[in-house]
Each structure stands twice: as C-alpha cells, then as structure tokens.
Amino acid sequence: MTNEEWGLVRNKLQKAVGQNNYTNWIEPLEFADLKNGVARFLVPTNFMGNWVDRNFGDKILNHMVGEGLKVSRLDFEVPRKPAQANPSSSQKADGAESAAPTAPATRTDQDDLPGAPLYDRFTFDNFVVGKPNELAHAAARRVAEGGPVTFNPLFLYGGVGLGKTHLMHAIAHELTSRNPELRVVYLSAEQFMYRFVQAIREKQMMDFKQLFRSVDVLMVDDVQFIAGKDSTQEEFFHTFNALVDQNKQIIISADRAPGEIKDMEDRIKSRLQCGLVVDLHPTDYELRLGVLQNKVNAYREQYNGLVIADGVLEFIAHRISTNVRVLEGALMRLFAFASLVGREVTMELAQDCLGDILRASDRKVTVEEIQRKVSDHYNIRLSDLIGPKRVRTIARPRQVAMYLAKHMTSRSLPEIGRRFGGRDHTTVMHGVKRIDELKVADDQIAEDLELLRRALEA
C-alpha cells in the first residue's frame, strides 16, 4: 500500500467516523508499511494505538479491503526514541504535513503519557476573544503561564462549540512550549474511563494510579461523561485529591456548571467548585464576526484570489448564531463551493449555498417548547405550570417561563397569557418584571435562565 492509497482510505474514513473522530484518531496515524497482509501504522502513544484498534480497527480494515488492498490485520507501533534528540529534525517535524502529528509526538518523550492528541490549530493565537469568553480566556492564559498554582481546578463550562476544548489545547501547547519537561496530560473523560476499565481488566491498577498521579498537569474534557459511572467517579475523585495534595494543576471542562451535572457525586461536585469556575457564554454578533474574519485570513492561501463581497460576513454572523463550529463549517462550505464553481462569494451565493444551515438557524422557539423545558428543569408537572396553583414552587417557574416566552418568541403578552391557562396580560407583565429584578439579585435565577436559553436554542 502506498501513501496515496492510504490517503484515499483516510478520505473515506473521514466521512464514516465524523470529523471529530477523524481529527482525533485517524489523522495522526502514520502509515509505515504493508507486509504479509499486516498494515503497520506509527502512533504517538500505545494508548492511542489501543484505542484506535478497539474502536476503529474494523472500519479501517473494511475500507482498506474495499480499496482492493490485501490486508488481514492492523498493527500499531510507537516509534522508538532516537539515541539523541536532534533539534533540527524536531523543527522539521513541526512543519510536516498532518500525517505526522506534531503535538502528540512530543508526548512520546514523556514515558508514554496516556493523553489524547492535541490539535495544532487550537492555540491562543487562533482563539478569538470577545465579551462572552474574555474571562475564560484570561483564566486559561494565567494557568498557561505556569508557575505557582493560582486556582485549582480551573473549571470551564459552556455549550457545544463555544471554545472549551480550544482553550484546553491552547493551555497544553503553551505549557509544554514554556517547559518541555512538564508532564501534561490532556484527555476526555471517556478516555479516562477507558484507561480505568482497561487497567482493571488487565490487573494493572497500580500502574494506572501511578501513571495518572505522577503528572504535573491533568486536563479532563467533558467530565459530565463520568456522571453515573460509580467506579470511575471513585477513581477520579482519588486521582483529583492526590494531585491537589501535590499542588499539581487540574483543568476540567463540562457542558454545564458542576452543581448542574446530574448523577455526579456530591463530593466530586464540591471538589470541582473549590477552584475557579468560568462560564463560556453563547457567542454574540461581534465575536462571531471576529471568528469569521479570522478564518477568512487563514483561508487566503488555500483559496487564493477568491473575492468576498461586502456584507457577506456580516450577514452570516447575524444569521448563524448557534455556535462557532457551525459558523466555521458554513464558511468552509461557502469558500469551497465558490472555488469549485469559480464565482465570487456574494450574498446570493451565500443564501443558496447555506440554505439548510440558515433555515435551521431560523428555527422558531414556541411557547409550548418553553413550557416543557421549564417544567423538566424544575421537575414540576406541565399541568401545574399552566394551571391555577400559586404556591411559590410553581409560581416562580411559571414566571421564568413567561419571561422566556416574552424574550424568545414573537407572541404578544395577551397571547402568552392565554397559553398559561388564560391569564391576563398584566399577570404576564408582572411575571416578566419580577424575573428581570430577580436575575440581577439572585444568581440561581440568572443561571437557570442561561441554562434554559441554551437548551431552547440548541
């Protein structure tokens, strides 16, 4: 098999496993050779080789056979360390194509740490800062400077595509750049659980404990994944404590605040809340426009000579407000389409090319949806929410639902009142005003509103 043939297989795998899995696990594989039916790949760590083999091995094998290649087995190997480090070859590797992953390669010099690959493009230089994420960015920068641990853990939370993973990768890049000897491990909670289960199965728990408790910086992404997994939570708790006792830095991310993670043990929630907890808010127009402008600059070389009409970026930033991933994907599609058909990127082209994304972004939130979400959030019956009961445990959620209906739908106050059991519009006005006052004075109400808004806009 040649590298060109492996390139064809990789292109098909990208569609089969999805972009995120492809970037994390397939792209870093480096094809070595194919002999006697065994395809050999070089991987940054043994952990990554085992993970790819278990989770994507069959898909890789099937696609290779589908391309007419005589392959019966896959083999993943970590390259042997050279006798002496060669700075010039290291620098050369940094500029190589994506087939040889830069960041993971540095991990092999640290006793095969169990981390996942880092994205080269996720650096502080490529992170667009705006009002919704400026605090998270500043906190991440402070941690990335190294030195004495300021807050432990740093807990980043927010919805999909708001930059949590980007900041975590940027911290890891910056820390290892400042101090190459630092033992930095970044991995998802799912990968932590996989390593834990594997250690139990192979009776290597002491190795597992020693490995994770000997790092200088532990970064765990999407920690909500271990909620409800009792044994994994237990081990995570002890690992967390051991590292804190050694004054080692811990950085955690999740899709919600620690106290909102369902089925997470209270002692872990308490630990996660003892450091700095930072929310990445949904993007605003200025931040989305900044992201688009930053991406256009990055695409200039790839799409040389492509012309963008005035107002197109502003149009996209206004219309696509879900998250940064959708925004970047829309721009990539637009650039690729314009390049293929040889046309200028105009407003008309944008509307035609991005029609499905624009329609999805235009999805209207209904009063009924708001009522269901609020009922679920506060664990009350929908019939009570719109019924006559006036007890505080029902009345406050009802006012929250009225407030959201007022601000997230185009319904008039009388229409909203009718959908809440035929109430008068003045009742709705009072409820909206009351929540306006409470969200300033009551942090819990403010957080509830933000969580509900995100859920409704998702």
Side-chain angles (χ1 to χ4, degrees), residues 358-391:
L358 296 173
R359 284 192 296 274
S361 297
D362 285 343
R363 187 183 74 83
K364 298 293 187 294
V365 177
T366 66
V367 175
E368 288 72 24
E369 280 181 284
I370 291 171
Q371 290 171 337
R372 284 195 297 272
K373 286 288 185 184
V374 171
S375 299
D376 291 342
H377 181 80
Y378 289 104
N379 196 27
I380 60 176
R381 290 184 297 183
L382 180 60
S383 58
D384 287 338
L385 184 76
I386 61 178
K389 290 185 178 180
R390 295 186 180 183
V391 293

PDB file of all heavy atoms in Angstrom, residues 358-391:
ATOM      1  N   LEU A 358     -29.028  28.081   7.250  1.00  0.00           N
ATOM      2  CA  LEU A 358     -29.780  29.294   7.574  1.00  0.00           C
ATOM      3  C   LEU A 358     -31.187  28.954   8.047  1.00  0.00           C
ATOM      4  O   LEU A 358     -31.702  29.563   8.981  1.00  0.00           O
ATOM      5  CB  LEU A 358     -29.838  30.220   6.352  1.00  0.00           C
ATOM      6  CG  LEU A 358     -28.493  30.774   5.869  1.00  0.00           C
ATOM      7  CD1 LEU A 358     -28.672  31.542   4.558  1.00  0.00           C
ATOM      8  CD2 LEU A 358     -27.880  31.680   6.925  1.00  0.00           C
ATOM      9  N   ARG A 359     -31.800  27.951   7.407  1.00  0.00           N
ATOM     10  CA  ARG A 359     -33.154  27.557   7.826  1.00  0.00           C
ATOM     11  C   ARG A 359     -33.130  26.980   9.229  1.00  0.00           C
ATOM     12  O   ARG A 359     -34.015  27.252  10.046  1.00  0.00           O
ATOM     13  CB  ARG A 359     -33.741  26.546   6.838  1.00  0.00           C
ATOM     14  CG  ARG A 359     -34.221  27.164   5.533  1.00  0.00           C
ATOM     15  CD  ARG A 359     -35.043  26.165   4.724  1.00  0.00           C
ATOM     16  NE  ARG A 359     -34.252  25.024   4.304  1.00  0.00           N
ATOM     17  CZ  ARG A 359     -33.517  24.974   3.204  1.00  0.00           C
ATOM     18  NH1 ARG A 359     -33.482  26.029   2.393  1.00  0.00           N
ATOM     19  NH2 ARG A 359     -32.829  23.897   2.881  1.00  0.00           N
ATOM     20  N   ALA A 360     -32.110  26.158   9.519  1.00  0.00           N
ATOM     21  CA  ALA A 360     -32.004  25.575  10.861  1.00  0.00           C
ATOM     22  C   ALA A 360     -31.784  26.654  11.911  1.00  0.00           C
ATOM     23  O   ALA A 360     -32.314  26.593  13.018  1.00  0.00           O
ATOM     24  CB  ALA A 360     -30.852  24.571  10.903  1.00  0.00           C
ATOM     25  N   SER A 361     -30.999  27.674  11.553  1.00  0.00           N
ATOM     26  CA  SER A 361     -30.730  28.763  12.494  1.00  0.00           C
ATOM     27  C   SER A 361     -31.963  29.626  12.717  1.00  0.00           C
ATOM     28  O   SER A 361     -32.073  30.311  13.735  1.00  0.00           O
ATOM     29  CB  SER A 361     -29.582  29.636  11.976  1.00  0.00           C
ATOM     30  OG  SER A 361     -28.394  28.888  11.883  1.00  0.00           O
ATOM     31  N   ASP A 362     -32.863  29.595  11.756  1.00  0.00           N
ATOM     32  CA  ASP A 362     -34.077  30.404  11.868  1.00  0.00           C
ATOM     33  C   ASP A 362     -35.196  29.695  12.622  1.00  0.00           C
ATOM     34  O   ASP A 362     -36.305  30.195  12.712  1.00  0.00           O
ATOM     35  CB  ASP A 362     -34.600  30.771  10.466  1.00  0.00           C
ATOM     36  CG  ASP A 362     -33.743  31.863   9.839  1.00  0.00           C
ATOM     37  OD1 ASP A 362     -32.994  32.524  10.579  1.00  0.00           O
ATOM     38  OD2 ASP A 362     -33.814  32.036   8.612  1.00  0.00           O
ATOM     39  N   ARG A 363     -34.897  28.500  13.154  1.00  0.00           N
ATOM     40  CA  ARG A 363     -35.937  27.749  13.859  1.00  0.00           C
ATOM     41  C   ARG A 363     -36.540  28.585  14.979  1.00  0.00           C
ATOM     42  O   ARG A 363     -35.848  29.151  15.807  1.00  0.00           O
ATOM     43  CB  ARG A 363     -35.342  26.466  14.461  1.00  0.00           C
ATOM     44  CG  ARG A 363     -36.376  25.553  15.071  1.00  0.00           C
ATOM     45  CD  ARG A 363     -35.705  24.348  15.693  1.00  0.00           C
ATOM     46  NE  ARG A 363     -35.040  24.675  16.934  1.00  0.00           N
ATOM     47  CZ  ARG A 363     -35.665  24.747  18.111  1.00  0.00           C
ATOM     48  NH1 ARG A 363     -36.967  24.546  18.182  1.00  0.00           N
ATOM     49  NH2 ARG A 363     -34.998  25.040  19.211  1.00  0.00           N
ATOM     50  N   LYS A 364     -37.859  28.663  14.989  1.00  0.00           N
ATOM     51  CA  LYS A 364     -38.552  29.494  15.980  1.00  0.00           C
ATOM     52  C   LYS A 364     -38.856  28.688  17.246  1.00  0.00           C
ATOM     53  O   LYS A 364     -39.340  27.567  17.173  1.00  0.00           O
ATOM     54  CB  LYS A 364     -39.861  30.031  15.377  1.00  0.00           C
ATOM     55  CG  LYS A 364     -39.657  30.929  14.148  1.00  0.00           C
ATOM     56  CD  LYS A 364     -38.956  32.226  14.529  1.00  0.00           C
ATOM     57  CE  LYS A 364     -38.892  33.202  13.370  1.00  0.00           C
ATOM     58  NZ  LYS A 364     -38.060  32.746  12.260  1.00  0.00           N
ATOM     59  N   VAL A 365     -38.567  29.279  18.368  1.00  0.00           N
ATOM     60  CA  VAL A 365     -38.907  28.676  19.648  1.00  0.00           C
ATOM     61  C   VAL A 365     -40.376  28.974  19.936  1.00  0.00           C
ATOM     62  O   VAL A 365     -40.847  30.097  19.748  1.00  0.00           O
ATOM     63  CB  VAL A 365     -38.020  29.253  20.771  1.00  0.00           C
ATOM     64  CG1 VAL A 365     -38.436  28.680  22.122  1.00  0.00           C
ATOM     65  CG2 VAL A 365     -36.559  28.958  20.491  1.00  0.00           C
ATOM     66  N   THR A 366     -41.122  27.974  20.393  1.00  0.00           N
ATOM     67  CA  THR A 366     -42.544  28.167  20.683  1.00  0.00           C
ATOM     68  C   THR A 366     -42.773  28.267  22.186  1.00  0.00           C
ATOM     69  O   THR A 366     -41.938  27.815  22.992  1.00  0.00           O
ATOM     70  CB  THR A 366     -43.382  26.995  20.129  1.00  0.00           C
ATOM     71  OG1 THR A 366     -43.026  25.794  20.854  1.00  0.00           O
ATOM     72  CG2 THR A 366     -43.116  26.787  18.651  1.00  0.00           C
ATOM     73  N   VAL A 367     -43.906  28.823  22.549  1.00  0.00           N
ATOM     74  CA  VAL A 367     -44.268  28.925  23.967  1.00  0.00           C
ATOM     75  C   VAL A 367     -44.393  27.531  24.568  1.00  0.00           C
ATOM     76  O   VAL A 367     -43.979  27.291  25.712  1.00  0.00           O
ATOM     77  CB  VAL A 367     -45.591  29.709  24.139  1.00  0.00           C
ATOM     78  CG1 VAL A 367     -46.020  29.709  25.607  1.00  0.00           C
ATOM     79  CG2 VAL A 367     -45.437  31.139  23.638  1.00  0.00           C
ATOM     80  N   GLU A 368     -44.933  26.603  23.790  1.00  0.00           N
ATOM     81  CA  GLU A 368     -45.117  25.229  24.280  1.00  0.00           C
ATOM     82  C   GLU A 368     -43.766  24.568  24.581  1.00  0.00           C
ATOM     83  O   GLU A 368     -43.626  23.851  25.576  1.00  0.00           O
ATOM     84  CB  GLU A 368     -45.894  24.402  23.255  1.00  0.00           C
ATOM     85  CG  GLU A 368     -47.374  24.754  23.144  1.00  0.00           C
ATOM     86  CD  GLU A 368     -47.612  26.102  22.453  1.00  0.00           C
ATOM     87  OE1 GLU A 368     -46.718  26.543  21.671  1.00  0.00           O
ATOM     88  OE2 GLU A 368     -48.669  26.707  22.685  1.00  0.00           O
ATOM     89  N   GLU A 369     -42.780  24.800  23.724  1.00  0.00           N
ATOM     90  CA  GLU A 369     -41.443  24.259  23.979  1.00  0.00           C
ATOM     91  C   GLU A 369     -40.868  24.817  25.278  1.00  0.00           C
ATOM     92  O   GLU A 369     -40.263  24.101  26.078  1.00  0.00           O
ATOM     93  CB  GLU A 369     -40.495  24.615  22.826  1.00  0.00           C
ATOM     94  CG  GLU A 369     -40.614  23.744  21.605  1.00  0.00           C
ATOM     95  CD  GLU A 369     -39.618  24.163  20.540  1.00  0.00           C
ATOM     96  OE1 GLU A 369     -39.845  25.190  19.871  1.00  0.00           O
ATOM     97  OE2 GLU A 369     -38.588  23.476  20.400  1.00  0.00           O
ATOM     98  N   ILE A 370     -41.046  26.121  25.456  1.00  0.00           N
ATOM     99  CA  ILE A 370     -40.547  26.779  26.669  1.00  0.00           C
ATOM    100  C   ILE A 370     -41.201  26.169  27.904  1.00  0.00           C
ATOM    101  O   ILE A 370     -40.540  25.865  28.897  1.00  0.00           O
ATOM    102  CB  ILE A 370     -40.797  28.295  26.603  1.00  0.00           C
ATOM    103  CG1 ILE A 370     -39.905  28.924  25.525  1.00  0.00           C
ATOM    104  CG2 ILE A 370     -40.547  28.955  27.958  1.00  0.00           C
ATOM    105  CD1 ILE A 370     -40.234  30.379  25.234  1.00  0.00           C
ATOM    106  N   GLN A 371     -42.495  25.963  27.837  1.00  0.00           N
ATOM    107  CA  GLN A 371     -43.215  25.386  28.982  1.00  0.00           C
ATOM    108  C   GLN A 371     -42.698  23.991  29.318  1.00  0.00           C
ATOM    109  O   GLN A 371     -42.514  23.649  30.496  1.00  0.00           O
ATOM    110  CB  GLN A 371     -44.718  25.351  28.683  1.00  0.00           C
ATOM    111  CG  GLN A 371     -45.360  26.733  28.650  1.00  0.00           C
ATOM    112  CD  GLN A 371     -46.792  26.703  28.139  1.00  0.00           C
ATOM    113  OE1 GLN A 371     -47.174  25.773  27.416  1.00  0.00           O
ATOM    114  NE2 GLN A 371     -47.570  27.705  28.492  1.00  0.00           N
ATOM    115  N   ARG A 372     -42.451  23.178  28.296  1.00  0.00           N
ATOM    116  CA  ARG A 372     -41.956  21.815  28.540  1.00  0.00           C
ATOM    117  C   ARG A 372     -40.554  21.839  29.160  1.00  0.00           C
ATOM    118  O   ARG A 372     -40.269  21.101  30.097  1.00  0.00           O
ATOM    119  CB  ARG A 372     -41.941  21.015  27.228  1.00  0.00           C
ATOM    120  CG  ARG A 372     -43.317  20.548  26.772  1.00  0.00           C
ATOM    121  CD  ARG A 372     -43.200  19.470  25.712  1.00  0.00           C
ATOM    122  NE  ARG A 372     -42.533  19.963  24.500  1.00  0.00           N
ATOM    123  CZ  ARG A 372     -43.164  20.545  23.487  1.00  0.00           C
ATOM    124  NH1 ARG A 372     -44.486  20.728  23.540  1.00  0.00           N
ATOM    125  NH2 ARG A 372     -42.511  20.950  22.421  1.00  0.00           N
ATOM    126  N   LYS A 373     -39.677  22.688  28.608  1.00  0.00           N
ATOM    127  CA  LYS A 373     -38.306  22.779  29.122  1.00  0.00           C
ATOM    128  C   LYS A 373     -38.288  23.267  30.570  1.00  0.00           C
ATOM    129  O   LYS A 373     -37.543  22.751  31.409  1.00  0.00           O
ATOM    130  CB  LYS A 373     -37.480  23.723  28.247  1.00  0.00           C
ATOM    131  CG  LYS A 373     -37.085  23.171  26.889  1.00  0.00           C
ATOM    132  CD  LYS A 373     -36.017  22.098  27.016  1.00  0.00           C
ATOM    133  CE  LYS A 373     -35.563  21.643  25.628  1.00  0.00           C
ATOM    134  NZ  LYS A 373     -34.590  20.517  25.722  1.00  0.00           N
ATOM    135  N   VAL A 374     -39.101  24.266  30.865  1.00  0.00           N
ATOM    136  CA  VAL A 374     -39.136  24.810  32.228  1.00  0.00           C
ATOM    137  C   VAL A 374     -39.694  23.770  33.196  1.00  0.00           C
ATOM    138  O   VAL A 374     -39.181  23.606  34.313  1.00  0.00           O
ATOM    139  CB  VAL A 374     -39.964  26.114  32.267  1.00  0.00           C
ATOM    140  CG1 VAL A 374     -40.196  26.565  33.710  1.00  0.00           C
ATOM    141  CG2 VAL A 374     -39.259  27.218  31.483  1.00  0.00           C
ATOM    142  N   SER A 375     -40.729  23.058  32.783  1.00  0.00           N
ATOM    143  CA  SER A 375     -41.297  22.002  33.638  1.00  0.00           C
ATOM    144  C   SER A 375     -40.264  20.934  33.954  1.00  0.00           C
ATOM    145  O   SER A 375     -40.127  20.505  35.103  1.00  0.00           O
ATOM    146  CB  SER A 375     -42.513  21.357  32.951  1.00  0.00           C
ATOM    147  OG  SER A 375     -43.529  22.301  32.727  1.00  0.00           O
ATOM    148  N   ASP A 376     -39.514  20.515  32.934  1.00  0.00           N
ATOM    149  CA  ASP A 376     -38.480  19.494  33.135  1.00  0.00           C
ATOM    150  C   ASP A 376     -37.370  20.019  34.038  1.00  0.00           C
ATOM    151  O   ASP A 376     -36.881  19.305  34.914  1.00  0.00           O
ATOM    152  CB  ASP A 376     -37.887  19.062  31.786  1.00  0.00           C
ATOM    153  CG  ASP A 376     -38.878  18.270  30.945  1.00  0.00           C
ATOM    154  OD1 ASP A 376     -39.868  17.772  31.515  1.00  0.00           O
ATOM    155  OD2 ASP A 376     -38.663  18.152  29.726  1.00  0.00           O
ATOM    156  N   HIS A 377     -36.986  21.263  33.799  1.00  0.00           N
ATOM    157  CA  HIS A 377     -35.873  21.851  34.550  1.00  0.00           C
ATOM    158  C   HIS A 377     -36.185  21.921  36.050  1.00  0.00           C
ATOM    159  O   HIS A 377     -35.334  21.617  36.892  1.00  0.00           O
ATOM    160  CB  HIS A 377     -35.552  23.240  34.012  1.00  0.00           C
ATOM    161  CG  HIS A 377     -34.408  23.920  34.704  1.00  0.00           C
ATOM    162  ND1 HIS A 377     -33.097  23.636  34.405  1.00  0.00           N
ATOM    163  CD2 HIS A 377     -34.378  24.856  35.697  1.00  0.00           C
ATOM    164  CE1 HIS A 377     -32.307  24.369  35.181  1.00  0.00           C
ATOM    165  NE2 HIS A 377     -33.058  25.111  35.962  1.00  0.00           N
ATOM    166  N   TYR A 378     -37.414  22.336  36.370  1.00  0.00           N
ATOM    167  CA  TYR A 378     -37.792  22.491  37.779  1.00  0.00           C
ATOM    168  C   TYR A 378     -38.496  21.260  38.354  1.00  0.00           C
ATOM    169  O   TYR A 378     -38.953  21.276  39.503  1.00  0.00           O
ATOM    170  CB  TYR A 378     -38.694  23.719  37.944  1.00  0.00           C
ATOM    171  CG  TYR A 378     -37.948  25.025  37.774  1.00  0.00           C
ATOM    172  CD1 TYR A 378     -38.065  25.767  36.609  1.00  0.00           C
ATOM    173  CD2 TYR A 378     -37.121  25.509  38.784  1.00  0.00           C
ATOM    174  CE1 TYR A 378     -37.376  26.971  36.450  1.00  0.00           C
ATOM    175  CE2 TYR A 378     -36.440  26.715  38.640  1.00  0.00           C
ATOM    176  CZ  TYR A 378     -36.574  27.430  37.469  1.00  0.00           C
ATOM    177  OH  TYR A 378     -35.889  28.619  37.320  1.00  0.00           O
ATOM    178  N   ASN A 379     -38.614  20.231  37.504  1.00  0.00           N
ATOM    179  CA  ASN A 379     -39.210  18.955  37.939  1.00  0.00           C
ATOM    180  C   ASN A 379     -40.632  19.143  38.478  1.00  0.00           C
ATOM    181  O   ASN A 379     -40.980  18.658  39.560  1.00  0.00           O
ATOM    182  CB  ASN A 379     -38.326  18.294  38.993  1.00  0.00           C
ATOM    183  CG  ASN A 379     -38.656  16.824  39.190  1.00  0.00           C
ATOM    184  OD1 ASN A 379     -39.152  16.164  38.275  1.00  0.00           O
ATOM    185  ND2 ASN A 379     -38.404  16.308  40.379  1.00  0.00           N
ATOM    186  N   ILE A 380     -41.432  19.868  37.707  1.00  0.00           N
ATOM    187  CA  ILE A 380     -42.839  20.031  38.060  1.00  0.00           C
ATOM    188  C   ILE A 380     -43.684  19.598  36.866  1.00  0.00           C
ATOM    189  O   ILE A 380     -43.196  19.523  35.741  1.00  0.00           O
ATOM    190  CB  ILE A 380     -43.182  21.497  38.437  1.00  0.00           C
ATOM    191  CG1 ILE A 380     -42.889  22.433  37.244  1.00  0.00           C
ATOM    192  CG2 ILE A 380     -42.414  21.933  39.672  1.00  0.00           C
ATOM    193  CD1 ILE A 380     -43.286  23.880  37.508  1.00  0.00           C
ATOM    194  N   ARG A 381     -44.946  19.319  37.113  1.00  0.00           N
ATOM    195  CA  ARG A 381     -45.818  18.880  36.024  1.00  0.00           C
ATOM    196  C   ARG A 381     -46.220  20.058  35.142  1.00  0.00           C
ATOM    197  O   ARG A 381     -46.437  21.167  35.636  1.00  0.00           O
ATOM    198  CB  ARG A 381     -47.068  18.209  36.591  1.00  0.00           C
ATOM    199  CG  ARG A 381     -46.780  16.858  37.245  1.00  0.00           C
ATOM    200  CD  ARG A 381     -48.044  16.182  37.719  1.00  0.00           C
ATOM    201  NE  ARG A 381     -48.711  16.956  38.764  1.00  0.00           N
ATOM    202  CZ  ARG A 381     -49.810  16.559  39.403  1.00  0.00           C
ATOM    203  NH1 ARG A 381     -50.370  15.413  39.081  1.00  0.00           N
ATOM    204  NH2 ARG A 381     -50.340  17.311  40.338  1.00  0.00           N
ATOM    205  N   LEU A 382     -46.321  19.784  33.853  1.00  0.00           N
ATOM    206  CA  LEU A 382     -46.719  20.831  32.912  1.00  0.00           C
ATOM    207  C   LEU A 382     -48.103  21.359  33.252  1.00  0.00           C
ATOM    208  O   LEU A 382     -48.372  22.566  33.153  1.00  0.00           O
ATOM    209  CB  LEU A 382     -46.689  20.280  31.479  1.00  0.00           C
ATOM    210  CG  LEU A 382     -47.070  21.249  30.355  1.00  0.00           C
ATOM    211  CD1 LEU A 382     -46.135  22.451  30.323  1.00  0.00           C
ATOM    212  CD2 LEU A 382     -47.050  20.532  28.999  1.00  0.00           C
ATOM    213  N   SER A 383     -48.979  20.475  33.691  1.00  0.00           N
ATOM    214  CA  SER A 383     -50.346  20.893  34.036  1.00  0.00           C
ATOM    215  C   SER A 383     -50.339  21.870  35.211  1.00  0.00           C
ATOM    216  O   SER A 383     -51.172  22.778  35.278  1.00  0.00           O
ATOM    217  CB  SER A 383     -51.197  19.669  34.374  1.00  0.00           C
ATOM    218  OG  SER A 383     -50.621  18.930  35.445  1.00  0.00           O
ATOM    219  N   ASP A 384     -49.388  21.696  36.147  1.00  0.00           N
ATOM    220  CA  ASP A 384     -49.283  22.632  37.271  1.00  0.00           C
ATOM    221  C   ASP A 384     -48.730  23.978  36.807  1.00  0.00           C
ATOM    222  O   ASP A 384     -49.134  25.032  37.302  1.00  0.00           O
ATOM    223  CB  ASP A 384     -48.372  22.061  38.355  1.00  0.00           C
ATOM    224  CG  ASP A 384     -49.028  20.916  39.123  1.00  0.00           C
ATOM    225  OD1 ASP A 384     -50.277  20.858  39.108  1.00  0.00           O
ATOM    226  OD2 ASP A 384     -48.313  20.092  39.718  1.00  0.00           O
ATOM    227  N   LEU A 385     -47.774  23.928  35.860  1.00  0.00           N
ATOM    228  CA  LEU A 385     -47.153  25.164  35.374  1.00  0.00           C
ATOM    229  C   LEU A 385     -48.191  26.100  34.754  1.00  0.00           C
ATOM    230  O   LEU A 385     -48.152  27.321  34.957  1.00  0.00           O
ATOM    231  CB  LEU A 385     -46.067  24.838  34.351  1.00  0.00           C
ATOM    232  CG  LEU A 385     -45.270  26.035  33.833  1.00  0.00           C
ATOM    233  CD1 LEU A 385     -44.255  26.490  34.886  1.00  0.00           C
ATOM    234  CD2 LEU A 385     -44.551  25.700  32.528  1.00  0.00           C
ATOM    235  N   ILE A 386     -49.117  25.542  33.980  1.00  0.00           N
ATOM    236  CA  ILE A 386     -50.109  26.389  33.305  1.00  0.00           C
ATOM    237  C   ILE A 386     -51.442  26.419  34.058  1.00  0.00           C
ATOM    238  O   ILE A 386     -52.389  27.080  33.638  1.00  0.00           O
ATOM    239  CB  ILE A 386     -50.347  25.912  31.855  1.00  0.00           C
ATOM    240  CG1 ILE A 386     -50.897  24.481  31.817  1.00  0.00           C
ATOM    241  CG2 ILE A 386     -49.057  26.009  31.049  1.00  0.00           C
ATOM    242  CD1 ILE A 386     -51.193  23.982  30.424  1.00  0.00           C
ATOM    243  N   GLY A 387     -51.495  25.701  35.187  1.00  0.00           N
ATOM    244  CA  GLY A 387     -52.731  25.637  35.972  1.00  0.00           C
ATOM    245  C   GLY A 387     -52.872  26.788  36.964  1.00  0.00           C
ATOM    246  O   GLY A 387     -52.099  27.754  36.948  1.00  0.00           O
ATOM    247  N   PRO A 388     -53.826  26.688  37.880  1.00  0.00           N
ATOM    248  CA  PRO A 388     -54.159  27.799  38.779  1.00  0.00           C
ATOM    249  C   PRO A 388     -53.319  27.884  40.058  1.00  0.00           C
ATOM    250  O   PRO A 388     -53.414  28.868  40.787  1.00  0.00           O
ATOM    251  CB  PRO A 388     -55.624  27.523  39.137  1.00  0.00           C
ATOM    252  CG  PRO A 388     -55.739  26.030  39.063  1.00  0.00           C
ATOM    253  CD  PRO A 388     -54.813  25.591  37.974  1.00  0.00           C
ATOM    254  N   LYS A 389     -52.503  26.853  40.356  1.00  0.00           N
ATOM    255  CA  LYS A 389     -51.758  26.849  41.612  1.00  0.00           C
ATOM    256  C   LYS A 389     -50.857  28.082  41.737  1.00  0.00           C
ATOM    257  O   LYS A 389     -50.215  28.479  40.771  1.00  0.00           O
ATOM    258  CB  LYS A 389     -50.907  25.582  41.721  1.00  0.00           C
ATOM    259  CG  LYS A 389     -51.709  24.310  41.934  1.00  0.00           C
ATOM    260  CD  LYS A 389     -50.784  23.111  42.150  1.00  0.00           C
ATOM    261  CE  LYS A 389     -51.600  21.844  42.401  1.00  0.00           C
ATOM    262  NZ  LYS A 389     -50.729  20.664  42.605  1.00  0.00           N
ATOM    263  N   ARG A 390     -50.796  28.644  42.967  1.00  0.00           N
ATOM    264  CA  ARG A 390     -49.997  29.850  43.186  1.00  0.00           C
ATOM    265  C   ARG A 390     -48.882  29.650  44.216  1.00  0.00           C
ATOM    266  O   ARG A 390     -48.258  30.619  44.629  1.00  0.00           O
ATOM    267  CB  ARG A 390     -50.908  30.995  43.655  1.00  0.00           C
ATOM    268  CG  ARG A 390     -51.911  31.426  42.599  1.00  0.00           C
ATOM    269  CD  ARG A 390     -52.672  32.644  43.061  1.00  0.00           C
ATOM    270  NE  ARG A 390     -53.642  33.091  42.068  1.00  0.00           N
ATOM    271  CZ  ARG A 390     -54.402  34.170  42.192  1.00  0.00           C
ATOM    272  NH1 ARG A 390     -54.329  34.905  43.307  1.00  0.00           N
ATOM    273  NH2 ARG A 390     -55.253  34.518  41.248  1.00  0.00           N
ATOM    274  N   VAL A 391     -48.636  28.394  44.615  1.00  0.00           N
ATOM    275  CA  VAL A 391     -47.561  28.158  45.570  1.00  0.00           C
ATOM    276  C   VAL A 391     -46.226  28.541  44.932  1.00  0.00           C
ATOM    277  O   VAL A 391     -46.051  28.456  43.712  1.00  0.00           O
ATOM    278  CB  VAL A 391     -47.521  26.681  46.021  1.00  0.00           C
ATOM    279  CG1 VAL A 391     -48.756  26.344  46.824  1.00  0.00           C
ATOM    280  CG2 VAL A 391     -47.376  25.740  44.819  1.00  0.00           C
TER     281      VAL A 391
END
